[in-house]
Amino acid sequence: MNYIPAILAVSFLVLSGCSEKDQPVTPSQEKEEALLEQEEKQTEEPKQEEPEEQEAVSQLKQDYEVNTTNWRIEPVAGENAKVALLTIDDAPDEHTLEMAEILTELEVSAIFFVNGHLLESDEKKNILKQIADMGFEIGNHTYSHASLPSLTEQEQKEEIRRVNTMVEEVTGSKPRFFRAPFGENTEFSKEIAEEENMQLMNWTFGYDWEKAYQSKEALANVTLNSEYLYDGANILMHDRAWTKEALRDIVEGLQEKGYEVLDPKRIKS
């Protein structure tokens, strides 16, 4: 009879020495533990987007294209045809940042075509970085703004590719658009642009380099009343004081005439 207390004592010690995981688990406990484990995984490992989802988020719908026979901007299908594109050459010179700020205030965009020789200073690189960070499209306008037909093929290649490298070093992205100085492309420059995955971009009209229109009033008036202002107008401007001064009136005038100032990111390249 004295064995019974001893046996009970040993059984108690064995049971008390069992770990928690050795204890019987009820169905309700199993469910609770599974929920806790799932919550921990969600906290530690955020849901990763599928590649297709990431691409859809990062890309703006590109529903316009450049008609390279007349340089008009045309909708791919079913979009508003009454658009105008603003393009600004010779950036970043003296007025680029101010022009970008005016456009940002007006909630419209443009392509700034850069010359590489203007990117040799840290100050100008900083301006380029600022306007790129503001969301503006950066285009390639060659390094020295030389007439391409007057250059050898090797020189043309250097003029174009050098700018792509410089822009990418500052902004993290290569230009999607190429505009030859004076609109003078060669067959070779077209090949280089294609190799660099750039869309050729000339213009339909522009006036700010002509002496008669180098004032705010004259430039705004001729731009808004030009016979070449039609659907898909591709308007050439430059980094100039009078262009900066006329820019607000030009944008607001285009909008009053019913034109949508097109975001260049919607143009295929």
Side-chain angles (χ1 to χ4, degrees):
M1 297 294 292
N2 293 333
Y3 289 107
I4 294 174
I7 291 170
L8 291 173
V10 170
S11 300
F12 175 77
L13 289 171
V14 171
L15 289 173
S16 63
C18 292
S19 64
E20 187 176 340
K21 67 181 180 181
D22 293 327
Q23 301 302 316
V25 180
T26 65
S28 62
Q29 287 175 318
E30 286 181 343
K31 184 177 181 182
E32 190 174 325
E33 289 176 1
L35 288 172
L36 286 171
E37 186 177 352
Q38 184 177 0
E39 288 177 2
E40 288 175 0
K41 285 183 177 180
Q42 289 176 342
T43 303
E44 294 172 1
E45 301 177 6
K47 179 180 178 293
Q48 298 294 320
E49 291 180 341
E50 295 296 324
E52 294 81 3
E53 293 175 336
Q54 291 175 336
E55 186 175 355
V57 169
S58 64
Q59 283 192 346
L60 186 67
K61 185 179 180 184
Q62 294 182 338
D63 42 15
Y64 288 83
E65 59 189 1
V66 182
N67 184 331
T68 53
T69 62
N70 55 23
W71 304 109
R72 292 171 71 167
I73 309 302
E74 299 177 348
V76 175
E79 300 297 329
N80 178 26
K82 197 174 179 66
V83 299
L85 176 69
L86 303 180
T87 65
I88 301 167
D89 286 9
D90 302 343
D93 206 349
E94 298 180 17
H95 310 286
T96 292
L97 186 55
E98 290 178 276
M99 295 174 83
E101 289 170 344
I102 291 168
L103 294 171
T104 299
E105 183 183 337
L106 295 170
E107 299 182 343
V108 298
S109 195
I111 304 176
F112 284 89
F113 283 96
V114 303
N115 296 128
H117 69 90
L118 295 172
L119 290 174
E120 294 292 359
S121 71
D122 290 339
E123 177 190 2
K124 295 301 174 65
K125 289 177 183 177
N126 183 52
I127 291 173
L128 177 63
K129 182 69 166 63
Q130 287 184 70
I131 64 173
D133 288 347
M134 291 163 75
F136 290 98
E137 192 89 43
I138 307 301
N140 182 327
H141 198 36
T142 74
Y143 181 82
S144 67
H145 203 274
S147 172
L148 294 179
S150 69
L151 303 179
T152 66
E153 290 188 349
Q154 182 60 33
E155 289 170 336
Q156 292 179 56
K157 184 187 298 185
E158 291 174 358
E159 284 278 334
I160 298 169
R161 289 185 171 168
R162 187 174 179 182
V163 173
N164 278 357
T165 299
M166 297 175 83
V167 170
E168 186 176 26
E169 287 175 351
V170 174
T171 69
S173 300
K174 288 183 179 181
R176 292 197 306 126
F177 298 100
F178 174 70
R179 172 170 282 166
F182 317 107
E184 297 175 337
N185 272 295
T186 66
E187 290 305 313
F188 184 75
S189 71
K190 292 177 183 178
E191 291 175 10
I192 296 300
E194 185 174 358
E195 288 174 8
E196 294 287 308
N197 296 315
M198 290 189 292
Q199 169 67 56
L200 296 177
M201 176 75 76
N202 278 9
W203 59 86
T204 57
F205 77 97
Y207 296 96
D208 69 350
W209 67 89
E210 297 184 27
K211 192 175 176 81
Y213 305 114
Q214 292 180 2
S215 71
K216 171 185 175 180
E217 295 77 13
L219 181 58
N221 182 63
V222 72
T223 301
L224 296 172
N225 295 292
S226 172
E227 63 181 303
Y228 302 108
L229 179 57
Y230 40 62
D231 292 1
N234 185 342
I235 305 174
L236 170 64
M237 296 184 284
H238 296 78
D239 180 321
R240 303 288 186 270
W242 50 88
T243 310
K244 177 199 72 176
E245 292 163 3
L247 189 56
R248 184 181 299 275
D249 289 347
I250 290 172
V251 170
E252 292 177 345
L254 288 170
Q255 293 172 332
E256 287 172 6
K257 287 177 175 285
Y259 286 92
E260 175 188 353
V261 179
L262 189 66
D263 186 338
K265 288 183 170 53
R266 294 177 66 183
I267 303 173
K268 288 183 175 182
S269 62

